[in-house]
Amino acid sequence: MSFKQLTAFVSGLCFVVLAALQYQGPDAAIWIAIFLAAAVFSFTTALERINRVILWMAFVAYAVAAYYFWPGETALSQGITIVNGTLRFFALVFASLVMLLLAVSSKRNASLHPPHVPGHVTTKIKKWAN
């Protein structure tokens, strides 16, 4: 198991735990979906089944969400245990940094065409088309 796969798997487990911690919140369904999406991105990166472009888009989405939930100076002075939004801000920052790390370390690029497999149906069609 490579370092990228281990990092992706551990971060995926962290996102599952973050989703489980959101269970009692008033808007639990939204936050569970947000963190489970990050877990899916992480686990598919560990299995090398996701495209780098999707990881870059996930990084941008989580970074914008973290910017939106930026706590003000009064929220930071009250402490992270009092203000629930501050905890979500740090969780979104963590998610965006993990997506950035996975996007940078991933090597799978976008491809609009399926891979060429000898004897595949497209190969036979190409022979008949000539």
Side-chain angles (χ1 to χ4, degrees):
M1 185 175 274
S2 68
F3 176 73
K4 179 185 79 167
Q5 290 174 332
L6 183 65
T7 303
F9 185 74
V10 170
S11 64
L13 289 177
C14 290
F15 288 128
V16 169
V17 169
L18 281 172
L21 290 175
Q22 300 297 324
Y23 179 70
Q24 295 293 331
D27 51 354
I30 296 169
W31 288 99
I32 288 173
I34 288 170
F35 292 127
L36 285 182
V40 167
F41 291 146
S42 297
F43 289 136
T44 53
T45 302
L47 297 174
E48 296 179 358
R49 299 284 185 212
I50 194 167
N51 197 336
R52 185 187 337 186
V53 175
I54 295 172
L55 292 173
W56 280 110
M57 289 189 304
F59 161 68
V60 169
Y62 284 114
V64 168
Y67 179 75
Y68 178 75
F69 279 96
W70 175 264
E73 293 296 323
T74 58
L76 289 176
S77 65
Q78 291 175 357
I80 61 172
T81 58
I82 298 172
V83 180
N84 193 18
T86 310
L87 285 174
R88 289 181 176 165
F89 164 73
F90 286 120
L92 288 170
V93 168
F94 172 69
S96 65
L97 291 177
V98 167
M99 293 303 133
L100 177 65
L101 176 71
L102 295 178
V104 168
S105 65
S106 180
K107 290 186 173 45
R108 188 173 175 138
N109 289 329
S111 175
L112 298 176
H113 304 287
H116 175 69
V117 179
H120 192 261
V121 177
T122 57
T123 307
K124 293 177 184 175
I125 292 173
K126 188 184 285 185
K127 287 181 183 176
W128 285 102
N130 290 335

